[in-house]
Amino acid sequence: MFIQTENTPNPQVLKFLPGRPVMEAGSQDFRAPEEAQASPLAAEIFGLDGVNRVFFGADFITVGKLASADWDHLKAPVLAAIMDHFTSGRPLFDGAGAASADEAVYEGEAAQVVAEIRELLDTRIRPAVARDGGDILFDRFEPDSGTVWLHMRGACAGCPSSSATLKSGVENMLKHYVPEVTRVEQTL
């Protein structure tokens, strides 16, 4: 098994490409070791000294490190954990797997606006962000203010350029194609 690595715009995060699917649908972000207990692979990576975040995408894994940790010492153990997991045949998740979030229900014009926002996210924005090892997920839309709230995940979370990506890229595109959108904010 050959695992490629790629730098991301976030210097604290590396993208690992195992050459096979990671998540069949969706993505999963682990921000703490306690959250990672649902996944043997995430738990093993979190067990490495200096790791502070693990993210599973469709065909990649991004791993975040503490600023005090060094990729020269951390990269090989992460590669070994990923390789051991995939060659063992163990499932990515124990039991029920990834948790699903409750979603708000929109009606009328708001439902149409949310459908347009989700379509743009899925077809134009998320594929571009995935190339950098992250993901952007819709959280909610506030029709009264025109505000769209999004989750920045993976390499995007905590990235020095995430604010610019959110405001200059995502917000401008959504405002252009969906006039009801007046601003975009990040859900923390």
Side-chain angles (χ1 to χ4, degrees), residues 168-188:
S168 299
V170 177
E171 182 174 270
N172 286 343
M173 181 180 284
L174 288 176
K175 286 167 70 174
H176 177 78
Y177 288 104
V178 186
E180 294 84 356
V181 173
T182 60
R183 68 183 185 146
V184 174
E185 296 294 334
Q186 180 176 347
T187 302
L188 301 177

Side-chain angles (χ1 to χ4, degrees), residues 30 35-43 56 85 90-99:
F30 302 97
E35 295 175 9
Q37 297 309 308
S39 168
L41 176 57
F56 296 154
H85 176 82
R90 290 180 290 171
L92 193 59
F93 294 99
D94 286 334

Side-chain angles (χ1 to χ4, degrees), residues 79-159:
L79 285 166
I82 294 169
M83 183 174 293
D84 289 348
H85 176 82
F86 282 107
T87 58
S88 75
R90 290 180 290 171
L92 193 59
F93 294 99
D94 286 334
S100 60
D102 292 332
E103 290 191 23
V105 176
Y106 297 90
E107 295 180 3
E109 186 177 327
Q112 180 61 35
V113 171
V114 168
E116 292 174 26
I117 292 167
R118 288 179 184 269
E119 176 71 17
L120 281 169
L121 285 171
D122 290 344
T123 60
R124 292 184 169 218
I125 297 167
R126 292 180 70 205
V129 172
R131 286 192 293 272
D132 287 335
D135 200 2
I136 297 179
L137 298 178
F138 176 82
D139 181 58
R140 67 188 182 277
F141 173 64
E142 297 173 351
D144 295 339
S145 67
T147 304
V148 176
W149 292 86
L150 303 172
H151 286 285
M152 306 282 281
R153 297 170 35 146
C156 294
C159 177

